[in-house]
Amino acid sequence: MATFRIKRYNPEKQPEPYYEDFELDIPDKATLLDCMNQLKWTRDGSLAYRMSCRSAICGSCAVKANGHALLACQRQAEHLLKDDTIILEPLGNMKPIKDLVVDFQPFWDKLEKVDPYLKPKSKSPEKEQQQTPEQFKLIDDSSTCIMCGACYSDCNVIEVDDNFLGPAALAKAQRFVGDSRDDATLERVKKLSQPGGIWDCTHCGECVERCPKPARPFDRIKEIMTVAIEQGITNNNGARHAVSFGRSIKRSGRLDENRLPVETVGIFNIKGLLDLLPVGIRMLLKRKIPPVLHGKIDDVDDVRRIFRELDQ
């Protein structure tokens, strides 16, 4: 017997959300969605949530269980038990409509911003545009995204910055940035390098933890970053930071923390450099300034070898 503690919300009856407990004897090997259906069909028919395929294909049944987003049809309920309890809540970073149903409109709006469609050289190709297996492999993982919103729900950046496009939209963007049939790569990476795009990702990896498919949004974001730098789109703090970081490690095997912030804002960016002064003064007063002479490590030649191999 397990307790399902479900966050309920019905603005037509009560303005504030509340938790309601249901007791259920979990059937053997039942998924979380199976249990949710049992509760709805036998305990409370007003319980609202989304579902469709029950096969981890459509992405409709994404919810939060014990604080993290997942597909309810993909996880066995007994594996989610904590002290004989499962806490169910609506997806995060989206406004609840009723119970576990949330408003996906902001999610779809951000998806539209990345132009999720091919922009081929020929507007009306006379024949099929073929790809080699190697070319398709570059977009294979991102093509597995089912738009369930699990990554969006648990994204730490969106929680504090609604301007961020989010991992799902950026993973979908890589699907077209990396497509050999697309002719708008430079246009795309310029747009994605603007504020709210790829460089606003904080590298927490939460989206990879929550993704129920091999899409791995964070990896796709890193791939777009690589293409952007290769295309010469480096006139922004994010790209300059990445280039400076790599150059420092390649040079000495260590991160030069004195050069990094200066090169990140741009050595000729007077305003940016002046903005760094208060932080530098506080670090100096608290004796947190890194050593001025940036020493090398013993195995720096091995580090440089790795960089040479990557360059090749």
Side-chain angles (χ1 to χ4, degrees), residues 31-38 49-51 54 61 72-73:
T31 65
L32 177 59
L33 182 58
D34 290 333
C35 295
M36 291 164 61
N37 284 338
Q38 284 296 315
Y49 53 89
R50 289 188 174 108
M51 61 164 287
R54 302 176 69 176
C61 65
C73 69

Side-chain angles (χ1 to χ4, degrees), residues 62-296:
V63 294
K64 269 192 173 184
N66 298 331
H68 294 294
L70 49 75
L71 286 185
C73 69
Q74 195 183 40
R75 302 288 293 275
Q76 290 189 4
E78 60 183 287
H79 295 161
L80 297 170
L81 286 172
K82 290 186 176 181
D83 298 325
D84 296 325
T85 301
I86 299 176
I87 302 175
L88 293 181
E89 298 169 311
L91 293 177
N93 294 326
M94 287 179 273
K95 183 180 178 180
I97 297 176
K98 183 181 179 184
D99 293 340
L100 303 178
V101 179
V102 296
D103 181 7
F104 259 78
Q105 193 56 51
F107 177 89
W108 300 124
D109 290 343
K110 291 180 180 181
L111 183 66
E112 289 182 8
K113 290 181 179 179
V114 304
D115 298 336
Y117 46 83
L118 281 175
K119 298 181 179 181
K121 296 179 181 179
S122 174
K123 300 301 180 182
S124 302
E126 297 180 357
K127 60 181 180 179
E128 183 181 1
Q129 294 180 303
Q130 297 182 344
Q131 285 186 306
T132 65
E134 291 74 20
Q135 290 172 330
F136 177 71
K137 189 175 181 180
L138 297 176
I139 61 173
D140 188 11
D141 289 337
S142 57
S143 69
T144 65
C145 176
I146 58 176
M147 299 284 109
C148 65
C151 64
Y152 188 95
S153 162
D154 288 19
C155 176
N156 294 305
V157 181
I158 295 175
E159 186 174 356
V160 296
D161 182 9
D162 190 56
N163 187 50
F164 183 51
L165 288 171
L170 291 174
K172 182 63 71 175
Q174 190 278 331
R175 157 71 180 80
F176 298 98
V177 168
D179 198 310
S180 60
R181 301 163 296 178
D182 191 84
D183 194 42
T185 301
L186 182 59
E187 171 193 331
R188 291 182 187 277
V189 294
K190 280 183 178 179
K191 187 175 180 180
L192 295 169
S193 295
Q194 295 175 359
I198 51 177
W199 298 108
D200 282 2
C201 171
T202 58
H203 301 195
C204 68
E206 190 72 14
C207 56
V208 175
E209 293 292 325
R210 306 307 153 210
C211 183
K213 295 295 180 180
R216 298 181 63 86
F218 174 63
D219 294 348
R220 310 289 78 79
I221 294 171
K222 298 296 290 184
E223 289 169 358
I224 301 176
M225 290 177 176
T226 300
V227 174
I229 292 175
E230 290 174 347
Q231 292 284 329
I233 311 303
T234 57
N235 190 27
N236 58 77
N237 286 359
R240 285 192 293 262
H241 182 87
V243 172
S244 176
F245 196 103
R247 186 187 297 124
S248 175
I249 300 298
K250 182 178 182 179
R251 179 174 55 247
S252 65
R254 290 180 179 174
L255 179 62
D256 190 336
E257 296 178 87
N258 290 312
R259 294 174 62 99
L260 183 65
V262 175
E263 294 180 346
T264 294
V265 301
I267 58 175
F268 299 111
N269 181 0
I270 304 302
K271 182 181 182 303
L273 294 174
L274 290 176
D275 289 341
L276 290 176
L277 273 179
V279 179
I281 292 174
R282 288 198 298 271
M283 292 178 65
L284 180 63
L285 293 175
K286 294 182 178 295
R287 299 181 180 181
K288 297 290 186 179
I289 294 291
V292 175
L293 296 178
H294 190 55
K296 296 180 180 179

